[in-house]
């Protein structure tokens, strides 16, 4: 099984964006690119982990197109609304070093978005065919996942920290994915920020209660904290940083890199 389209989800603040950024970097370093990184969080910051500037979001484009007809002069003459939207979506793909990035931004304003959402979904499907991997960093609320706007997912990485509540949250995401019949071939739990990379009996019991498959543990790593508190891109972490080493091992085990 090759996991081409990977989504990352879990409770707020558990480390989804940090780990997604590192995963994208591993894929590029391993020559597994090109990668399409999708930042599906309205409070987007995946670009910062990767050290990239992000200006325009899909939400901005969608907003613009949705109101274009009202404002009259936004769509160039002779172009249909659909073609204009597709053009603007392509322009919103940010180019990084070895990867491209789409920032979803805020999702809904006033008015009906069904029409533009439909096109967005199609265009994402078409666009993602150009990449070896599509990696999606979700917001804690899972809006895009649950609306299916990201298309098919091959691997869902559930990220939790070292607490019962966030393992329970990961359990709920798994149940939601099942209820929505997303048919995700593999869903696994990664416990992040574990002191010395170890889990207690009680945490292990909670994982069992939630019927989650534990695929790896990542230690609490002061380097991650240092880089984030000084605004340095996490992809520049030293290779021997404990969190980086642990995530790399997990990705190798899953045969992703
Ligand atoms: N292994 C780790 N060791 C130490 N700190 C970590 C580790 N992983 C993440 N962090 C810290 O946890 C905080 C939250 O990380 P991050 O923003 O990646 O989480 P998130 O799940 O994407 O959050 P949100 O739900 O707000 O999008 C950050 O300050 C980050 O530096
Ligand atoms: Mg995040």
């Amino acid at each position: 099984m090759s996991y081409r389209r990977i989504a990352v989800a879990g409770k707020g603040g558990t480390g989804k964006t940090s780990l997604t950024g590192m995963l994208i970097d591993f894929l590029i370093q391993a020559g597994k690119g090109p990668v399409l990184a999708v930042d599906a969080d309205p409070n987007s910051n995946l670009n910062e982990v990767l050290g990239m500037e992000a200006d325009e979001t899909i939400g901005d484009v969608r907003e613009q197109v949705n109101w274009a007809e009202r404002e009259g002069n936004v769509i160039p003459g002779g172009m249909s609304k659909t073609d204009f939207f597709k053009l603007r979506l392509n322009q919103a793909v940010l180019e990084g070093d070895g990867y491209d990035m789409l920032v979803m931004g805020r999702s809904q304003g006033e008015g009906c978005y069904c029409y533009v959402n439909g096109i967005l979904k199609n265009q994402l499907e078409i666009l993602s065919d150009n990449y070896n991997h599509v990696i999606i960093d979700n917001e804690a609320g899972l809006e895009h996942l649950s609306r299916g706007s990201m298309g098919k997912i091959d691997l869902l990485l559930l990220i939790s920290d070292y607490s019962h509540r966030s393992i329970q949250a990961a359990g709920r995401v798994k149940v939601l994915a099942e209820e929505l019949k997303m048919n995700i071939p593999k869903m696994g739990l990664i416990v992040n920020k574990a002191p010395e990379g170890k889990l207690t009996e009680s945490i292990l019991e909670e994982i069992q209660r939630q019927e989650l498959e534990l695929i790896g543990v990542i230690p609490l790593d002061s380097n991650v904290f240092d880089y984030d508190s000084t605004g340095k891109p996490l992809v520049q972490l030293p290779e021997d940083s404990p969190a980086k080493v642990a995530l790399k091992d997990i990705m190798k085990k899953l045969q992703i890199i």
Side-chain angles (χ1 to χ4, degrees):
M1 174 80 214
S2 82
Y3 302 119
R4 210 176 76 80
R5 300 171 64 103
I6 304 172
V8 180
K11 193 173 179 297
T14 50
K16 299 180 290 296
T17 303
S18 310
L19 301 182
T20 304
M22 288 189 226
L23 166 58
I24 291 166
D25 189 47
F26 290 154
L27 286 169
I28 298 164
Q29 301 307 328
K32 300 281 175 106
V35 174
L36 177 65
V38 181
D39 185 344
D41 188 339
N43 297 309
S44 42
N45 53 11
L46 179 61
N47 61 300
E48 284 163 22
V49 172
L50 291 160
M52 182 201 230
E53 291 281 324
D55 35 26
E56 193 169 51
T57 72
I58 301 299
D60 297 336
V61 172
R62 180 160 48 181
E63 193 82 359
Q64 191 192 34
V65 172
N66 213 33
W67 291 97
E69 280 173 327
R70 277 199 168 193
E71 288 165 14
N73 56 359
V74 185
I75 300 181
M79 204 178 242
S80 73
K81 184 174 165 181
T82 304
D83 285 342
F84 178 60
F85 188 34
K86 288 180 182 171
L87 171 77
R88 294 287 290 107
L89 278 177
N90 284 333
Q91 288 170 341
V93 178
L94 309 167
E95 284 177 30
D97 201 1
Y99 67 96
D100 287 345
M101 183 168 202
L102 272 179
V103 181
M104 299 306 288
R106 75 193 167 109
S107 52
Q108 309 280 9
E110 280 176 55
C112 175
Y113 284 78
C114 314
Y115 167 76
V116 277
N117 280 345
I119 297 171
L120 173 60
K121 192 174 170 184
N122 278 336
Q123 283 303 103
L124 280 180
E125 287 290 322
I126 294 168
L127 183 68
S128 64
D129 284 344
N130 301 329
Y131 301 88
N132 255 341
H133 285 282
V134 179
I135 313 294
I136 307 160
D137 177 21
N138 284 278
E139 93 276 42
L142 286 181
E143 189 194 320
H144 291 289
L145 263 193
S146 59
R147 278 203 276 124
S149 44
M150 296 297 143
K152 197 181 158 356
I153 306 292
D154 303 315
L155 169 65
L156 178 60
L157 295 175
L158 301 164
I159 314 298
S160 84
D161 59 20
Y162 195 67
S163 77
H164 278 243
R165 272 183 297 130
S166 84
I167 288 164
Q168 288 157 8
R172 283 195 295 274
V173 177
K174 179 177 170 249
V175 170
L176 178 72
E178 285 160 355
E179 281 173 2
L180 291 169
K181 302 203 167 31
M182 292 175 73
N183 291 323
I184 303 175
K186 190 168 174 83
M187 296 190 255
L189 175 74
I190 295 178
V191 180
N192 187 22
K193 306 194 216 184
E196 294 166 31
K198 293 193 188 104
L199 299 183
T200 60
E201 264 318 299
S202 122
I203 291 281
L204 287 167
E205 278 165 20
E206 189 60 53
I207 295 171
Q208 256 187 352
R209 243 193 315 273
Q210 298 299 325
E211 297 177 14
L212 290 162
E213 181 192 348
L214 178 65
I215 54 175
V217 181
I218 296 178
L220 191 67
D221 181 342
S222 60
N223 287 344
V224 175
F225 177 82
D226 289 345
Y227 271 59
D228 268 347
S229 58
T230 51
K232 268 198 260 178
L234 281 181
V235 292
Q236 290 169 12
L237 277 173
E239 288 305 313
D240 60 355
S241 273
K244 205 167 178 174
V245 171
L247 182 63
K248 204 171 210 170
D249 278 350
I250 297 170
M251 295 308 139
K252 281 185 180 157
K253 217 167 71 186
L254 291 169
Q255 297 183 327
I256 292 170
I257 53 170

